[in-house]
Amino acid sequence: MLLLILILATVGRYLAVEATITRPLWTRYPVWLDGFLSCSACSGFWFAGFGALYAVLAHDWSLLDLASWETVLAAALLGIFTTPLLAALHAKALHYLADVGAGEQ
């Protein structure tokens, strides 16, 4: 369950900052919000923390068999490290697919 929250935090960051389909939204962000969301570690902390908070409070899931505040803190701190790594892996995959698609033509 924790892995799912960390992956969803990365997906949320991608949709909030880089996705073409949400370009009309993220091109109009104020400077402070754009700077915050562009930082993958910062947004990973908050997205994973709020995802864990929702999972604990709304569904009573203790992700690590810890108390709820410890679970939320653990997920948020893991989001600092995993969101940039998963975002970099995603970017590499997109570049690879673009190169493979260009080579086939």
Side-chain angles (χ1 to χ4, degrees):
M1 186 62 193
L2 182 60
L3 182 61
L4 178 64
I5 288 175
L6 295 172
I7 291 172
L8 288 175
T10 305
V11 169
R13 183 207 173 267
Y14 173 73
L15 286 173
V17 178
E18 297 177 19
T20 304
I21 197 166
T22 57
R23 182 182 303 259
L25 295 175
W26 55 261
T27 55
R28 292 180 174 87
Y29 287 159
V31 174
W32 64 271
L33 184 60
D34 185 46
F36 168 74
L37 290 175
S38 296
C39 172
S40 58
C42 303
S43 58
F45 177 84
W46 290 107
F47 287 163
F50 283 126
L53 183 64
Y54 173 75
V56 168
L57 295 179
H59 301 292
D60 196 29
W61 294 336
S62 181
L63 305 173
L64 302 172
D65 292 330
L66 302 171
S68 62
W69 67 270
E70 293 169 336
T71 303
V72 172
L73 184 62
L77 291 175
L78 283 172
I80 291 173
F81 298 106
T82 58
T83 302
L85 293 174
L86 291 174
L89 182 65
H90 181 248
K92 279 188 171 188
L94 287 177
H95 290 299
Y96 175 76
L97 290 174
D99 290 343
V100 168
E104 291 178 358
Q105 294 178 355

